[in-house]
Amino acid sequence: GAVVSQHPSRVICKSGTSVKIECRSLDFQATTMFWYRQFPKKSLMLMATSNEGSKATYEQGVEKDKFLINHASLTLSTLTVTSAHPEDSSFYICSARDRTGYNSPLHFGNGTRLTVT
Amino acid sequence: DQQVKQNSPSLSVQEGRISILNCDYTNSMFDYFLWYKKYPAEGPTFLISISSIKDKNEDGRFTVFLNKSAKHLSLHIVPSQPGDSAVYFCAAANTGNQFYFGTGTSLTVIP
């Protein structure tokens, strides 16, 4: 099956620093990857859609200058949380579809637990 | 505005019995529906899906039912096993890449 790998699984950083999270599709190419954020006991919130070779599309209310997304290849997308603050502490998950078009599921990475102190 | 809703935050079921998880949606344009299983500190794992042209899809112990007129779908797990204990998310999508997720139902299967 389609495998999405996310790294790191857990990171603790100090307030004001930046953190980069990597998302890789291991056995398929993904022209589009999706970044989600999950708050405790809440649903998965789509933050942005990452498009290979072009700019990401951000959802309303998500600061693009704070959450920098780069999709440099068909198998790698990165999310950089810049100038992190404690309120950025959350569980971030990336996902991708292993084939384009209709009726294909999203496959998720294992997520990254970010804690900003 | 929550377009996909799971009104039961938790469910407990005895091992061997049926687990029924429910999900409601509001957007009639959704035509693809999915269920995901999630353990703590892990990403969701795809379980089963159904397109709007069907009303039932079965995969082993898992069956998804879709009632389009009621905008309701459900996941049946039979028989339930302790390893099924997890949070289950339903999701819906339309022709675009946009997936909408419910808030999840925590299933506990009691041995």
Side-chain angles (χ1 to χ4, degrees):
Chain A
V3 178
V4 176
S5 175
Q6 191 172 338
H7 179 79
S9 59
R10 184 181 295 267
V11 59
I12 302 172
C13 71
K14 291 188 176 180
S15 195
T17 61
S18 295
V19 172
K20 180 185 282 188
I21 303 169
E22 291 188 349
C23 180
R24 295 181 185 273
S25 56
L26 296 187
D27 50 359
F28 65 98
Q29 294 183 329
T31 55
T32 305
M33 290 185 175
F34 305 89
W35 287 95
Y36 286 82
R37 181 175 179 177
Q38 187 184 21
F39 295 96
K41 299 188 178 181
K42 295 287 187 183
S43 182
L44 300 165
M45 183 192 81
L46 178 65
M47 297 175 64
T49 302
S50 168
N51 303 296
E52 188 267 336
S54 65
K55 289 184 179 180
T57 304
Y58 290 82
E59 296 301 301
Q60 191 173 11
V62 178
E63 298 176 59
K64 62 181 181 182
D65 294 329
K66 179 161 192 63
F67 299 100
L68 298 179
I69 290 173
N70 184 281
H71 195 153
S73 77
L74 287 170
T75 59
L76 174 65
S77 174
T78 60
L79 168 68
T80 301
V81 183
T82 63
S83 186
H85 291 286
E87 57 264 31
D88 298 326
S89 298
S90 194
F91 192 58
Y92 294 88
I93 321 173
C94 69
S95 67
R97 297 170 100 167
D98 62 347
R99 55 188 184 275
T100 57
Y102 223 30
N103 292 358
S104 59
L106 287 177
H107 298 281
F108 286 86
N110 266 341
T112 297
R113 169 68 62 191
L114 170 64
T115 303
V116 184
T117 60
Chain B
D1 182 31
Q2 192 75 23
Q3 298 193 51
V4 178
K5 298 178 183 179
Q6 292 174 259
N7 292 318
S8 297
S10 63
L11 173 69
S12 290
V13 171
Q14 206 71 31
E15 180 179 5
R17 306 295 289 268
I18 183 171
S19 294
I20 300 176
L21 298 102
N22 294 302
C23 180
D24 298 294
Y25 61 95
T26 57
N27 190 340
S28 58
M29 297 302 292
F30 289 144
D31 55 11
Y32 182 50
F33 305 88
L34 312 91
W35 283 95
Y36 285 84
K37 176 180 180 180
K38 186 181 181 300
Y39 293 114
E42 292 186 10
T45 302
F46 169 68
L47 269 179
I48 191 169
S49 65
I50 188 169
S51 76
S52 59
I53 61 173
K54 294 186 175 181
D55 53 19
K56 177 183 174 181
N57 188 26
E58 192 171 350
D59 183 2
R61 296 188 297 115
F62 301 92
T63 303
V64 56
F65 293 92
L66 175 63
N67 183 332
K68 290 186 290 294
S69 61
K71 295 192 181 69
H72 178 85
L73 69 155
S74 61
L75 175 68
H76 293 206
I77 306 173
V78 180
S80 301
Q81 299 173 354
D84 296 329
S85 297
V87 176
Y88 289 79
F89 288 94
C90 68
N94 54 23
T95 52
N97 264 327
Q98 185 80 298
F99 284 72
Y100 295 85
F101 286 83
T103 50
T105 296
S106 178
L107 173 66
T108 302
V109 180
I110 304 163

PDB file of all heavy atoms in Angstrom, chain B residues 35-63:
ATOM      1  N   TRP B  35     -13.606   6.110   5.911  1.00  0.00           N
ATOM      2  CA  TRP B  35     -13.390   5.932   7.339  1.00  0.00           C
ATOM      3  C   TRP B  35     -11.905   5.699   7.592  1.00  0.00           C
ATOM      4  O   TRP B  35     -11.250   4.945   6.868  1.00  0.00           O
ATOM      5  CB  TRP B  35     -14.180   4.744   7.879  1.00  0.00           C
ATOM      6  CG  TRP B  35     -15.641   5.031   8.055  1.00  0.00           C
ATOM      7  CD1 TRP B  35     -16.641   4.765   7.172  1.00  0.00           C
ATOM      8  CD2 TRP B  35     -16.260   5.654   9.187  1.00  0.00           C
ATOM      9  NE1 TRP B  35     -17.852   5.171   7.684  1.00  0.00           N
ATOM     10  CE2 TRP B  35     -17.656   5.726   8.927  1.00  0.00           C
ATOM     11  CE3 TRP B  35     -15.793   6.146  10.411  1.00  0.00           C
ATOM     12  CZ2 TRP B  35     -18.565   6.272   9.820  1.00  0.00           C
ATOM     13  CZ3 TRP B  35     -16.699   6.683  11.298  1.00  0.00           C
ATOM     14  CH2 TRP B  35     -18.070   6.738  11.012  1.00  0.00           C
ATOM     15  N   TYR B  36     -11.425   6.366   8.645  1.00  0.00           N
ATOM     16  CA  TYR B  36     -10.038   6.232   9.049  1.00  0.00           C
ATOM     17  C   TYR B  36      -9.993   5.817  10.511  1.00  0.00           C
ATOM     18  O   TYR B  36     -10.867   6.160  11.303  1.00  0.00           O
ATOM     19  CB  TYR B  36      -9.289   7.566   8.896  1.00  0.00           C
ATOM     20  CG  TYR B  36      -8.947   7.943   7.479  1.00  0.00           C
ATOM     21  CD1 TYR B  36      -9.881   8.591   6.675  1.00  0.00           C
ATOM     22  CD2 TYR B  36      -7.700   7.649   6.950  1.00  0.00           C
ATOM     23  CE1 TYR B  36      -9.565   8.933   5.370  1.00  0.00           C
ATOM     24  CE2 TYR B  36      -7.373   8.001   5.639  1.00  0.00           C
ATOM     25  CZ  TYR B  36      -8.319   8.634   4.864  1.00  0.00           C
ATOM     26  OH  TYR B  36      -8.007   8.977   3.581  1.00  0.00           O
ATOM     27  N   LYS B  37      -8.940   5.105  10.841  1.00  0.00           N
ATOM     28  CA  LYS B  37      -8.702   4.676  12.215  1.00  0.00           C
ATOM     29  C   LYS B  37      -7.432   5.360  12.700  1.00  0.00           C
ATOM     30  O   LYS B  37      -6.447   5.447  11.947  1.00  0.00           O
ATOM     31  CB  LYS B  37      -8.512   3.154  12.215  1.00  0.00           C
ATOM     32  CG  LYS B  37      -8.164   2.504  13.526  1.00  0.00           C
ATOM     33  CD  LYS B  37      -8.018   1.001  13.293  1.00  0.00           C
ATOM     34  CE  LYS B  37      -7.665   0.258  14.560  1.00  0.00           C
ATOM     35  NZ  LYS B  37      -7.538  -1.198  14.311  1.00  0.00           N
ATOM     36  N   LYS B  38      -7.444   5.841  13.923  1.00  0.00           N
ATOM     37  CA  LYS B  38      -6.274   6.561  14.422  1.00  0.00           C
ATOM     38  C   LYS B  38      -5.928   6.155  15.842  1.00  0.00           C
ATOM     39  O   LYS B  38      -6.787   6.201  16.726  1.00  0.00           O
ATOM     40  CB  LYS B  38      -6.523   8.076  14.344  1.00  0.00           C
ATOM     41  CG  LYS B  38      -5.297   8.911  14.721  1.00  0.00           C
ATOM     42  CD  LYS B  38      -5.622  10.387  14.656  1.00  0.00           C
ATOM     43  CE  LYS B  38      -4.374  11.214  15.001  1.00  0.00           C
ATOM     44  NZ  LYS B  38      -3.861  10.943  16.347  1.00  0.00           N
ATOM     45  N   TYR B  39      -4.672   5.782  16.011  1.00  0.00           N
ATOM     46  CA  TYR B  39      -4.150   5.553  17.354  1.00  0.00           C
ATOM     47  C   TYR B  39      -3.483   6.834  17.843  1.00  0.00           C
ATOM     48  O   TYR B  39      -3.068   7.675  17.034  1.00  0.00           O
ATOM     49  CB  TYR B  39      -3.121   4.414  17.347  1.00  0.00           C
ATOM     50  CG  TYR B  39      -3.704   3.054  17.019  1.00  0.00           C
ATOM     51  CD1 TYR B  39      -3.344   2.393  15.848  1.00  0.00           C
ATOM     52  CD2 TYR B  39      -4.601   2.425  17.876  1.00  0.00           C
ATOM     53  CE1 TYR B  39      -3.851   1.149  15.539  1.00  0.00           C
ATOM     54  CE2 TYR B  39      -5.130   1.179  17.567  1.00  0.00           C
ATOM     55  CZ  TYR B  39      -4.755   0.549  16.399  1.00  0.00           C
ATOM     56  OH  TYR B  39      -5.273  -0.687  16.100  1.00  0.00           O
ATOM     57  N   PRO B  40      -3.352   7.000  19.163  1.00  0.00           N
ATOM     58  CA  PRO B  40      -2.700   8.209  19.700  1.00  0.00           C
ATOM     59  C   PRO B  40      -1.298   8.400  19.126  1.00  0.00           C
ATOM     60  O   PRO B  40      -0.561   7.433  18.954  1.00  0.00           O
ATOM     61  CB  PRO B  40      -2.660   7.934  21.208  1.00  0.00           C
ATOM     62  CG  PRO B  40      -3.776   6.987  21.453  1.00  0.00           C
ATOM     63  CD  PRO B  40      -3.844   6.122  20.227  1.00  0.00           C
ATOM     64  N   ALA B  41      -0.958   9.625  18.840  1.00  0.00           N
ATOM     65  CA  ALA B  41       0.371  10.001  18.350  1.00  0.00           C
ATOM     66  C   ALA B  41       0.731   9.325  17.031  1.00  0.00           C
ATOM     67  O   ALA B  41       1.917   9.167  16.718  1.00  0.00           O
ATOM     68  CB  ALA B  41       1.441   9.701  19.399  1.00  0.00           C
ATOM     69  N   GLU B  42      -0.257   8.909  16.273  1.00  0.00           N
ATOM     70  CA  GLU B  42      -0.014   8.369  14.936  1.00  0.00           C
ATOM     71  C   GLU B  42      -0.934   9.057  13.946  1.00  0.00           C
ATOM     72  O   GLU B  42      -1.947   9.646  14.327  1.00  0.00           O
ATOM     73  CB  GLU B  42      -0.275   6.861  14.901  1.00  0.00           C
ATOM     74  CG  GLU B  42       0.717   6.032  15.687  1.00  0.00           C
ATOM     75  CD  GLU B  42       0.486   4.560  15.500  1.00  0.00           C
ATOM     76  OE1 GLU B  42      -0.315   4.178  14.619  1.00  0.00           O
ATOM     77  OE2 GLU B  42       1.099   3.766  16.242  1.00  0.00           O
ATOM     78  N   GLY B  43      -0.583   8.967  12.664  1.00  0.00           N
ATOM     79  CA  GLY B  43      -1.480   9.494  11.654  1.00  0.00           C
ATOM     80  C   GLY B  43      -2.638   8.544  11.416  1.00  0.00           C
ATOM     81  O   GLY B  43      -2.572   7.359  11.754  1.00  0.00           O
ATOM     82  N   PRO B  44      -3.718   9.042  10.854  1.00  0.00           N
ATOM     83  CA  PRO B  44      -4.865   8.179  10.551  1.00  0.00           C
ATOM     84  C   PRO B  44      -4.509   7.129   9.501  1.00  0.00           C
ATOM     85  O   PRO B  44      -3.722   7.392   8.600  1.00  0.00           O
ATOM     86  CB  PRO B  44      -5.909   9.160  10.006  1.00  0.00           C
ATOM     87  CG  PRO B  44      -5.471  10.507  10.465  1.00  0.00           C
ATOM     88  CD  PRO B  44      -3.977  10.451  10.515  1.00  0.00           C
ATOM     89  N   THR B  45      -5.112   5.985   9.644  1.00  0.00           N
ATOM     90  CA  THR B  45      -4.928   4.892   8.688  1.00  0.00           C
ATOM     91  C   THR B  45      -6.230   4.675   7.936  1.00  0.00           C
ATOM     92  O   THR B  45      -7.288   4.524   8.551  1.00  0.00           O
ATOM     93  CB  THR B  45      -4.545   3.587   9.413  1.00  0.00           C
ATOM     94  OG1 THR B  45      -3.353   3.798  10.162  1.00  0.00           O
ATOM     95  CG2 THR B  45      -4.323   2.456   8.422  1.00  0.00           C
ATOM     96  N   PHE B  46      -6.137   4.637   6.607  1.00  0.00           N
ATOM     97  CA  PHE B  46      -7.325   4.441   5.797  1.00  0.00           C
ATOM     98  C   PHE B  46      -7.904   3.043   6.030  1.00  0.00           C
ATOM     99  O   PHE B  46      -7.170   2.045   6.026  1.00  0.00           O
ATOM    100  CB  PHE B  46      -6.970   4.620   4.315  1.00  0.00           C
ATOM    101  CG  PHE B  46      -8.049   4.186   3.366  1.00  0.00           C
ATOM    102  CD1 PHE B  46      -9.237   4.885   3.296  1.00  0.00           C
ATOM    103  CD2 PHE B  46      -7.864   3.078   2.556  1.00  0.00           C
ATOM    104  CE1 PHE B  46     -10.241   4.483   2.422  1.00  0.00           C
ATOM    105  CE2 PHE B  46      -8.853   2.667   1.678  1.00  0.00           C
ATOM    106  CZ  PHE B  46     -10.047   3.372   1.619  1.00  0.00           C
ATOM    107  N   LEU B  47      -9.213   2.988   6.233  1.00  0.00           N
ATOM    108  CA  LEU B  47      -9.886   1.717   6.484  1.00  0.00           C
ATOM    109  C   LEU B  47     -10.707   1.261   5.289  1.00  0.00           C
ATOM    110  O   LEU B  47     -10.517   0.170   4.757  1.00  0.00           O
ATOM    111  CB  LEU B  47     -10.830   1.856   7.675  1.00  0.00           C
ATOM    112  CG  LEU B  47     -10.324   1.542   9.065  1.00  0.00           C
ATOM    113  CD1 LEU B  47     -11.446   1.771  10.066  1.00  0.00           C
ATOM    114  CD2 LEU B  47      -9.816   0.124   9.154  1.00  0.00           C
ATOM    115  N   ILE B  48     -11.662   2.083   4.918  1.00  0.00           N
ATOM    116  CA  ILE B  48     -12.620   1.672   3.899  1.00  0.00           C
ATOM    117  C   ILE B  48     -13.278   2.924   3.339  1.00  0.00           C
ATOM    118  O   ILE B  48     -13.358   3.951   4.017  1.00  0.00           O
ATOM    119  CB  ILE B  48     -13.665   0.704   4.504  1.00  0.00           C
ATOM    120  CG1 ILE B  48     -14.514   0.031   3.422  1.00  0.00           C
ATOM    121  CG2 ILE B  48     -14.549   1.417   5.532  1.00  0.00           C
ATOM    122  CD1 ILE B  48     -15.363  -1.120   3.943  1.00  0.00           C
ATOM    123  N   SER B  49     -13.727   2.838   2.097  1.00  0.00           N
ATOM    124  CA  SER B  49     -14.389   3.985   1.482  1.00  0.00           C
ATOM    125  C   SER B  49     -15.603   3.526   0.696  1.00  0.00           C
ATOM    126  O   SER B  49     -15.812   2.325   0.469  1.00  0.00           O
ATOM    127  CB  SER B  49     -13.415   4.727   0.564  1.00  0.00           C
ATOM    128  OG  SER B  49     -13.036   3.903  -0.536  1.00  0.00           O
ATOM    129  N   ILE B  50     -16.388   4.493   0.285  1.00  0.00           N
ATOM    130  CA  ILE B  50     -17.560   4.202  -0.533  1.00  0.00           C
ATOM    131  C   ILE B  50     -17.843   5.409  -1.416  1.00  0.00           C
ATOM    132  O   ILE B  50     -17.705   6.555  -0.974  1.00  0.00           O
ATOM    133  CB  ILE B  50     -18.770   3.841   0.355  1.00  0.00           C
ATOM    134  CG1 ILE B  50     -19.947   3.341  -0.498  1.00  0.00           C
ATOM    135  CG2 ILE B  50     -19.198   5.024   1.221  1.00  0.00           C
ATOM    136  CD1 ILE B  50     -21.061   2.720   0.329  1.00  0.00           C
ATOM    137  N   SER B  51     -18.207   5.151  -2.645  1.00  0.00           N
ATOM    138  CA  SER B  51     -18.612   6.257  -3.509  1.00  0.00           C
ATOM    139  C   SER B  51     -20.125   6.392  -3.462  1.00  0.00           C
ATOM    140  O   SER B  51     -20.835   5.473  -3.047  1.00  0.00           O
ATOM    141  CB  SER B  51     -18.144   6.023  -4.945  1.00  0.00           C
ATOM    142  OG  SER B  51     -18.961   5.056  -5.573  1.00  0.00           O
ATOM    143  N   SER B  52     -20.590   7.530  -3.906  1.00  0.00           N
ATOM    144  CA  SER B  52     -22.015   7.838  -3.757  1.00  0.00           C
ATOM    145  C   SER B  52     -22.917   6.991  -4.660  1.00  0.00           C
ATOM    146  O   SER B  52     -24.137   7.007  -4.499  1.00  0.00           O
ATOM    147  CB  SER B  52     -22.260   9.316  -4.023  1.00  0.00           C
ATOM    148  OG  SER B  52     -21.840   9.649  -5.325  1.00  0.00           O
ATOM    149  N   ILE B  53     -22.316   6.253  -5.569  1.00  0.00           N
ATOM    150  CA  ILE B  53     -23.157   5.414  -6.432  1.00  0.00           C
ATOM    151  C   ILE B  53     -23.504   4.090  -5.755  1.00  0.00           C
ATOM    152  O   ILE B  53     -24.299   3.309  -6.274  1.00  0.00           O
ATOM    153  CB  ILE B  53     -22.484   5.147  -7.795  1.00  0.00           C
ATOM    154  CG1 ILE B  53     -21.159   4.395  -7.604  1.00  0.00           C
ATOM    155  CG2 ILE B  53     -22.256   6.451  -8.541  1.00  0.00           C
ATOM    156  CD1 ILE B  53     -20.541   3.946  -8.928  1.00  0.00           C
ATOM    157  N   LYS B  54     -22.904   3.862  -4.613  1.00  0.00           N
ATOM    158  CA  LYS B  54     -23.179   2.630  -3.877  1.00  0.00           C
ATOM    159  C   LYS B  54     -23.849   2.958  -2.550  1.00  0.00           C
ATOM    160  O   LYS B  54     -23.796   4.094  -2.070  1.00  0.00           O
ATOM    161  CB  LYS B  54     -21.882   1.872  -3.608  1.00  0.00           C
ATOM    162  CG  LYS B  54     -21.191   1.341  -4.846  1.00  0.00           C
ATOM    163  CD  LYS B  54     -19.994   0.491  -4.442  1.00  0.00           C
ATOM    164  CE  LYS B  54     -19.351  -0.152  -5.649  1.00  0.00           C
ATOM    165  NZ  LYS B  54     -18.196  -1.007  -5.272  1.00  0.00           N
ATOM    166  N   ASP B  55     -24.453   1.952  -1.938  1.00  0.00           N
ATOM    167  CA  ASP B  55     -24.979   2.165  -0.592  1.00  0.00           C
ATOM    168  C   ASP B  55     -24.329   1.243   0.434  1.00  0.00           C
ATOM    169  O   ASP B  55     -24.606   1.353   1.629  1.00  0.00           O
ATOM    170  CB  ASP B  55     -26.505   1.997  -0.566  1.00  0.00           C
ATOM    171  CG  ASP B  55     -26.959   0.672  -1.155  1.00  0.00           C
ATOM    172  OD1 ASP B  55     -26.138  -0.256  -1.248  1.00  0.00           O
ATOM    173  OD2 ASP B  55     -28.140   0.569  -1.542  1.00  0.00           O
ATOM    174  N   LYS B  56     -23.439   0.392  -0.058  1.00  0.00           N
ATOM    175  CA  LYS B  56     -22.767  -0.520   0.868  1.00  0.00           C
ATOM    176  C   LYS B  56     -21.435  -0.965   0.284  1.00  0.00           C
ATOM    177  O   LYS B  56     -21.324  -1.207  -0.923  1.00  0.00           O
ATOM    178  CB  LYS B  56     -23.661  -1.748   1.108  1.00  0.00           C
ATOM    179  CG  LYS B  56     -23.061  -2.832   1.993  1.00  0.00           C
ATOM    180  CD  LYS B  56     -24.017  -4.019   2.091  1.00  0.00           C
ATOM    181  CE  LYS B  56     -23.393  -5.178   2.856  1.00  0.00           C
ATOM    182  NZ  LYS B  56     -24.316  -6.338   2.933  1.00  0.00           N
ATOM    183  N   ASN B  57     -20.430  -1.020   1.146  1.00  0.00           N
ATOM    184  CA  ASN B  57     -19.146  -1.566   0.735  1.00  0.00           C
ATOM    185  C   ASN B  57     -18.584  -2.364   1.895  1.00  0.00           C
ATOM    186  O   ASN B  57     -18.583  -1.896   3.035  1.00  0.00           O
ATOM    187  CB  ASN B  57     -18.175  -0.458   0.327  1.00  0.00           C
ATOM    188  CG  ASN B  57     -16.906  -1.004  -0.284  1.00  0.00           C
ATOM    189  OD1 ASN B  57     -16.889  -2.105  -0.838  1.00  0.00           O
ATOM    190  ND2 ASN B  57     -15.816  -0.255  -0.192  1.00  0.00           N
ATOM    191  N   GLU B  58     -18.108  -3.546   1.597  1.00  0.00           N
ATOM    192  CA  GLU B  58     -17.678  -4.463   2.646  1.00  0.00           C
ATOM    193  C   GLU B  58     -16.236  -4.875   2.427  1.00  0.00           C
ATOM    194  O   GLU B  58     -15.801  -5.135   1.303  1.00  0.00           O
ATOM    195  CB  GLU B  58     -18.581  -5.703   2.605  1.00  0.00           C
ATOM    196  CG  GLU B  58     -18.470  -6.622   3.791  1.00  0.00           C
ATOM    197  CD  GLU B  58     -19.549  -7.702   3.761  1.00  0.00           C
ATOM    198  OE1 GLU B  58     -20.471  -7.604   2.926  1.00  0.00           O
ATOM    199  OE2 GLU B  58     -19.453  -8.640   4.548  1.00  0.00           O
ATOM    200  N   ASP B  59     -15.481  -4.929   3.514  1.00  0.00           N
ATOM    201  CA  ASP B  59     -14.096  -5.377   3.449  1.00  0.00           C
ATOM    202  C   ASP B  59     -13.783  -6.118   4.741  1.00  0.00           C
ATOM    203  O   ASP B  59     -13.477  -5.513   5.764  1.00  0.00           O
ATOM    204  CB  ASP B  59     -13.154  -4.190   3.264  1.00  0.00           C
ATOM    205  CG  ASP B  59     -11.699  -4.628   3.108  1.00  0.00           C
ATOM    206  OD1 ASP B  59     -11.413  -5.852   3.096  1.00  0.00           O
ATOM    207  OD2 ASP B  59     -10.825  -3.746   2.992  1.00  0.00           O
ATOM    208  N   GLY B  60     -13.908  -7.430   4.666  1.00  0.00           N
ATOM    209  CA  GLY B  60     -13.645  -8.235   5.858  1.00  0.00           C
ATOM    210  C   GLY B  60     -14.636  -7.933   6.963  1.00  0.00           C
ATOM    211  O   GLY B  60     -15.851  -8.003   6.771  1.00  0.00           O
ATOM    212  N   ARG B  61     -14.120  -7.549   8.119  1.00  0.00           N
ATOM    213  CA  ARG B  61     -15.006  -7.257   9.268  1.00  0.00           C
ATOM    214  C   ARG B  61     -15.637  -5.867   9.180  1.00  0.00           C
ATOM    215  O   ARG B  61     -16.461  -5.518  10.028  1.00  0.00           O
ATOM    216  CB  ARG B  61     -14.191  -7.361  10.558  1.00  0.00           C
ATOM    217  CG  ARG B  61     -13.648  -8.756  10.866  1.00  0.00           C
ATOM    218  CD  ARG B  61     -13.010  -8.829  12.242  1.00  0.00           C
ATOM    219  NE  ARG B  61     -11.847  -7.943  12.346  1.00  0.00           N
ATOM    220  CZ  ARG B  61     -11.788  -6.898  13.151  1.00  0.00           C
ATOM    221  NH1 ARG B  61     -12.820  -6.569  13.919  1.00  0.00           N
ATOM    222  NH2 ARG B  61     -10.687  -6.170  13.208  1.00  0.00           N
ATOM    223  N   PHE B  62     -15.222  -5.090   8.208  1.00  0.00           N
ATOM    224  CA  PHE B  62     -15.672  -3.702   8.122  1.00  0.00           C
ATOM    225  C   PHE B  62     -16.664  -3.523   6.969  1.00  0.00           C
ATOM    226  O   PHE B  62     -16.403  -3.958   5.849  1.00  0.00           O
ATOM    227  CB  PHE B  62     -14.471  -2.769   7.904  1.00  0.00           C
ATOM    228  CG  PHE B  62     -13.438  -2.858   8.994  1.00  0.00           C
ATOM    229  CD1 PHE B  62     -12.369  -3.727   8.893  1.00  0.00           C
ATOM    230  CD2 PHE B  62     -13.552  -2.076  10.127  1.00  0.00           C
ATOM    231  CE1 PHE B  62     -11.422  -3.827   9.902  1.00  0.00           C
ATOM    232  CE2 PHE B  62     -12.601  -2.163  11.141  1.00  0.00           C
ATOM    233  CZ  PHE B  62     -11.543  -3.039  11.028  1.00  0.00           C
ATOM    234  N   THR B  63     -17.783  -2.879   7.279  1.00  0.00           N
ATOM    235  CA  THR B  63     -18.776  -2.557   6.264  1.00  0.00           C
ATOM    236  C   THR B  63     -19.183  -1.102   6.436  1.00  0.00           C
ATOM    237  O   THR B  63     -19.466  -0.671   7.557  1.00  0.00           O
ATOM    238  CB  THR B  63     -20.021  -3.449   6.393  1.00  0.00           C
ATOM    239  OG1 THR B  63     -19.628  -4.826   6.312  1.00  0.00           O
ATOM    240  CG2 THR B  63     -21.013  -3.151   5.275  1.00  0.00           C
TER     241      THR B  63
END
